[in-house]
Amino acid sequence: MALLHRPGRPAPTGRPRRLARTAAALAATLALLPPIVAAGGASAQEVPAADVDVHVNTQAALGRLSDTARGVNAAVWDSHMNDPEVATLMKTADVGAMRYPGGSYADIYHWETHTAPGGYVAPGTGFDAFMGTVRATGAQPILIANYGSGTPEEAAGWVRYANVTKNYGAKYWEIGNEIYGNGHYGSGWEHDDHADKSPREYARQVRAYAAAMKAVDPTVKIGAVLTAPGNWPDGITGEGDPGDWNHTVLSQVTDVIDFVTVHWYAGGSDTSADTAMSRLTRLPGELREVRAQIDRYAGADSPRIGIALTEVNTNTGGAQLTARPNGLFAADAFMTALENGVFNVDWWNTHNGPGAITTVDGETDYGDMGMLASGACTGDVCQPAPNTPFHPYYGMKMTSELGTAGDTMVAAASSAQDLSAHAVHRRDGRLSVLLINKNPDAARTVDLAYAGFSPSAAAPEVSRYARGDSDITDVTDSGASASRVTVPPYGMLTVTLTPKSDTGPGTSAAGTPGTPRLEAVTDTTARLSWAGTTGAARYLVQERDGAHTYLVGETTGTSVTLRNLPPGSTHTVNVLAADAAGRLAAPSDPLTFTTGTPADAACTVDYHRDTSWGNGFVATVSVRNLSDTPITGWTVDWDWPTDGQSVSSGWNATFHQSGRHVRVTAPENAGPLAPDGTSTASFGFVGANDGPNPDPTVFRLNGTVCAGG
């Protein structure tokens, strides 16, 4: 099995390296929905024929950007952490969060004495100095309470000093860093002095930390550490534990925490940023699985618990860390995570220190996980002056061209795998679209089409970061139009469009409805409700399929029951309010839900994961026939929830997989399945997963949907 992180080692300068890491339409209402348009003033310059289509739908909201959306890590071993240039650069990039005191160092760091026994603490990196940089940036701190060698009382003392004595208003507090890496599962990089290193003990301590810290300041938000689904040690059950890390912890703490933290490094045997960009397709599924786990244990309280991605980078060492492709990865990773339900993304790291020296895209790559140069050397190769931005800084900065706190992320889909698209509908009515061309050799010409937005004839504002640019560059006069733009190879463009007069949500007398809530769900129905808004004559419920939406419900009230849904199916919906003239306001934030299986089914299937090891698992499936007639020659079918799941080998049946679909056929010598559940057919298999490993949602016995699963 591969570790998400590996144990760290000192950088050549003496600074530690990073420690080893998705019904039918109502025809009468469809007329209200604005058409898809591909419009814009004619360009004064000839533009090549398009080879990529991008569709943007402002009626499919993905959530709003928080004031802590963009963040960076800061470490007490970084002597440049509080240089004045850091605050200036981060403020310019609209950084809203700074995490301290530095990854795994958090579990050896004592805030009051500013010491980290067994580690290096640089001068001038104490908590007050850090808060000076945070305030100069206009950001918020995300602080990691020492779990590994600290106590709830020590953490409560830090809260008291920060928020009572100094009035810093420190809101977000994590309990430890990567505590699942404390050796409980055999590999350890995280310091943990507790005799009991199990997830049960961590959960017990989280409750104690939360009680002590909130007794000092009831407004603080407490975060518990989870492992990213599909990454080690996800799925592994330690000796004596009731389940793996995430399920054990969440089963005990959802009533006392306010958010969870996960770390995500693209990883893989190929450590290049190009490979990492392709592996970003795994991240949405992993974040959906985190939310599903929270839903399971928090129930109706789940929406209160946020998700923070407090460390992200391509890998934990190796090549292409400071080079241009990692800048593209940074922009793509920040927006992908934010669009999939996290409120905060923190890059590892601000400064980190050099590693292996390579040449990437004609430039020196310093093997450094930092956004800014530390000025240090590897052998006779030295970095630029301290605080010189590397490409990942400009990737993060480009996302600030896209939108700021309170703006709404909306669905955007690209027809090309090597061109990513992200979009934000701004509060002032403008629409910004970020296009990331991951092809190093060819420019991509993009046809832009819109649903729910009508661009004006004015030329769009265009920002570019590509080869030859030393910063985000204004190229508004480059000939781009609202309908077609060309993105340079290994380059990024942000295109900002103004709406046509008298169009858009701002013209509606209705406001934005509240986020829909799932009140009840069966195998074929779902009852939703939401907070109403002034000026609404009726509400439309729209389901999203990629960047496209279709109408599934309409009401004059604030609840609706969706019917005829397939069993075990997942749906993402938004609610829009229409005023008396039929003009649509901005959509609500989304709700994703999954239907169940029929309670009165003629069969049951029990799917049980016997063991897991991060990227593989063993499962047993048991089938019973509840009908009043025997079944001879049975088949069992299911679909995997994600692309990375598969059957490797099995027993007591014949297995066939095509895409996500699995069909299991009874062995030739199998007897009939007796009626009324009086006999059971069981089979098992070894499975593999590249990414998250959620259980299938529905099973069919000879085509009939079964209960359970």
Side-chain angles (χ1 to χ4, degrees):
M1 72 192 79
L3 298 184
L4 177 61
H5 294 157
R6 67 186 186 189
R9 59 182 182 273
T13 59
R15 297 177 181 86
R17 291 292 304 276
R18 170 67 181 91
L19 294 186
R21 346 159 155 104
T22 158
L26 302 179
T29 310
L30 284 174
L32 291 174
L33 305 181
I36 296 174
V37 292
S43 170
Q45 303 179 24
E46 184 177 347
V47 179
D51 54 7
V52 182
D53 294 317
V54 167
H55 178 89
V56 180
N57 190 343
T58 62
Q59 294 175 340
L62 307 180
R64 283 159 181 78
L65 289 168
S66 72
D67 55 359
T68 56
R70 280 170 287 271
V72 294
N73 277 271
V76 293
W77 41 260
D78 172 17
S79 61
H80 295 289
M81 183 179 77
N82 296 309
D83 290 355
E85 297 93 334
V86 172
T88 300
L89 286 163
M90 297 307 169
K91 187 178 183 69
T92 302
D94 194 36
V95 166
M98 305 184 85
R99 183 173 180 253
Y100 176 94
S104 295
Y105 255 56
D107 287 305
I108 60 172
Y109 178 71
H110 300 282
W111 70 272
E112 193 166 15
T113 59
H114 188 49
T115 58
Y120 170 74
V121 175
T125 60
F127 177 56
D128 288 318
F130 165 73
M131 284 305 304
T133 299
V134 171
R135 288 188 159 186
T137 300
Q140 296 184 51
I142 295 181
L143 302 172
I144 318 170
N146 183 339
Y147 176 86
S149 59
T151 64
E153 292 73 25
E154 180 182 24
W158 197 358
V159 172
R160 182 176 295 105
Y161 179 79
N163 292 354
V164 179
T165 303
K166 302 295 289 190
N167 198 31
Y168 286 143
K171 183 177 181 181
Y172 299 102
W173 299 77
E174 300 177 51
I175 310 304
N177 182 53
E178 293 169 353
I179 304 303
Y180 49 79
N182 61 8
H184 182 65
Y185 300 103
S187 179
W189 61 85
E190 200 74 16
H191 187 91
D192 185 359
D193 287 338
H194 296 87
D196 183 351
K197 294 178 170 53
S198 70
R200 291 172 300 172
E201 176 64 11
Y202 175 71
R204 191 186 72 81
Q205 291 285 345
V206 165
R207 300 188 68 86
Y209 273 72
M213 296 164 76
K214 289 192 174 188
V216 174
D217 182 354
T219 70
V220 298
K221 304 295 184 183
I222 302 298
V225 173
L226 298 185
T227 186
N231 294 274
W232 188 94
D234 176 53
I236 299 176
T237 300
E239 185 177 354
D241 294 339
D244 66 3
W245 181 273
N246 286 9
H247 290 86
T248 301
V249 172
L250 286 172
S251 68
Q252 300 179 48
V253 303
T254 54
D255 59 323
V256 299
I257 63 171
D258 304 282
F259 65 104
V260 299
T261 70
V262 292
H263 294 170
W264 198 83
Y265 292 81
S269 57
D270 181 349
T271 59
S272 71
D274 301 270
T275 300
M277 284 188 282
S278 69
R279 291 176 71 83
L280 266 174
T281 57
R282 296 172 41 176
L283 183 56
E286 295 186 20
L287 292 173
R288 284 195 298 270
E289 182 65 7
V290 173
R291 176 51 64 188
Q293 291 172 357
I294 299 171
D295 289 346
R296 175 177 175 178
Y297 294 105
D301 200 34
S302 179
R304 180 187 61 79
I305 300 174
I307 303 173
L309 189 62
T310 54
E311 288 185 23
V312 66
N313 208 313
T314 51
N315 54 79
T316 57
Q320 298 195 22
L321 285 165
T322 66
R324 184 173 303 279
N326 211 22
L328 305 181
F329 172 87
D332 212 5
F334 269 89
M335 292 313 305
T336 298
L338 293 167
E339 290 164 351
N340 284 278
V342 309
F343 68 89
N344 161 254
V345 184
D346 303 321
W347 187 261
W348 183 274
N349 195 12
T350 301
H351 310 90
N352 206 72
I357 306 298
T358 57
T359 299
V360 180
D361 196 39
E363 300 178 312
T364 300
D365 187 285
Y366 297 97
D368 189 324
M369 301 179 74
M371 281 196 161
L372 307 179
S374 63
C377 306
T378 296
D380 58 358
V381 179
C382 295
Q383 292 186 359
N387 300 311
T388 300
F390 292 133
H391 289 290
Y393 169 79
Y394 293 113
M396 179 181 68
K397 184 179 178 182
M398 181 60 97
T399 69
S400 70
E401 297 285 310
L402 190 60
T404 57
D407 292 341
T408 301
M409 296 171 287
V410 296
S414 168
S415 65
Q417 290 185 342
D418 62 358
L419 187 132
S420 293
H422 306 277
V424 169
H425 203 182
R426 296 174 177 259
R427 288 163 293 167
D428 61 9
R430 294 181 298 158
L431 175 67
S432 293
V433 183
L434 170 61
L435 304 170
I436 304 169
N437 182 4
K438 295 174 276 193
N439 189 317
D441 304 314
R444 307 306 300 267
T445 298
V446 180
D447 265 350
L448 292 162
Y450 312 94
F453 181 83
S454 299
S456 73
E461 298 177 11
V462 183
S463 298
R464 182 190 69 201
Y465 187 67
R467 292 173 178 138
D469 294 329
S470 59
D471 202 340
I472 310 297
T473 303
D474 184 351
V475 290
T476 296
D477 297 327
S478 62
S481 73
S483 60
R484 184 170 292 179
V485 297
T486 298
V487 190
Y490 259 7
M492 298 182 278
L493 289 184
T494 296
V495 181
T496 299
L497 306 142
T498 56
K500 186 177 180 180
S501 297
D502 300 321
T503 66
T507 65
S508 177
T512 302
T515 304
R517 300 182 299 274
L518 182 64
E519 300 290 351
V521 63
T522 70
D523 56 324
T524 60
T525 67
R527 181 169 179 79
L528 313 178
S529 66
W530 55 88
T533 183
T534 57
R538 54 181 169 165
Y539 297 94
L540 311 179
V541 180
Q542 292 192 168
E543 178 162 355
R544 176 165 62 88
D545 181 7
H548 297 271
T549 54
Y550 55 95
L551 196 64
V552 294
E554 177 185 7
T555 181
T556 56
T558 56
S559 65
V560 69
T561 298
L562 307 181
R563 304 183 185 279
N564 301 316
L565 305 175
S569 57
T570 299
H571 307 265
T572 298
V573 296
N574 302 93
V575 180
L576 296 89
D579 66 11
R583 295 170 299 199
L584 295 174
S588 72
D589 282 348
L591 167 71
T592 297
F593 65 89
T594 301
T595 56
T597 55
D600 57 351
C603 51
T604 63
V605 171
D606 177 57
Y607 177 91
H608 182 263
R609 260 188 280 172
D610 305 323
T611 186
S612 300
W613 52 90
N615 60 355
F617 60 102
V618 175
T620 299
V621 181
S622 300
V623 185
R624 289 193 301 150
N625 168 26
L626 302 183
S627 72
D628 56 6
T629 58
I631 296 176
T632 302
W634 53 263
T635 61
V636 174
D637 293 81
W638 72 81
D639 291 291
W640 293 117
T642 70
D643 289 331
Q645 296 170 283
S646 61
V647 174
S648 300
S649 61
W651 51 91
N652 294 343
T654 300
F655 296 79
H656 176 73
Q657 181 165 341
S658 177
R660 292 187 181 184
H661 185 75
V662 178
R663 169 159 288 189
V664 183
T665 306
E668 291 183 3
N669 60 348
L673 270 172
D676 303 319
T678 56
S679 69
T680 301
S682 295
F683 55 86
F685 63 92
V686 177
N689 57 292
D690 183 14
N693 188 29
D695 292 347
T697 57
V698 65
F699 294 85
R700 289 176 170 83
L701 174 63
N702 288 5
T704 298
V705 176
C706 299

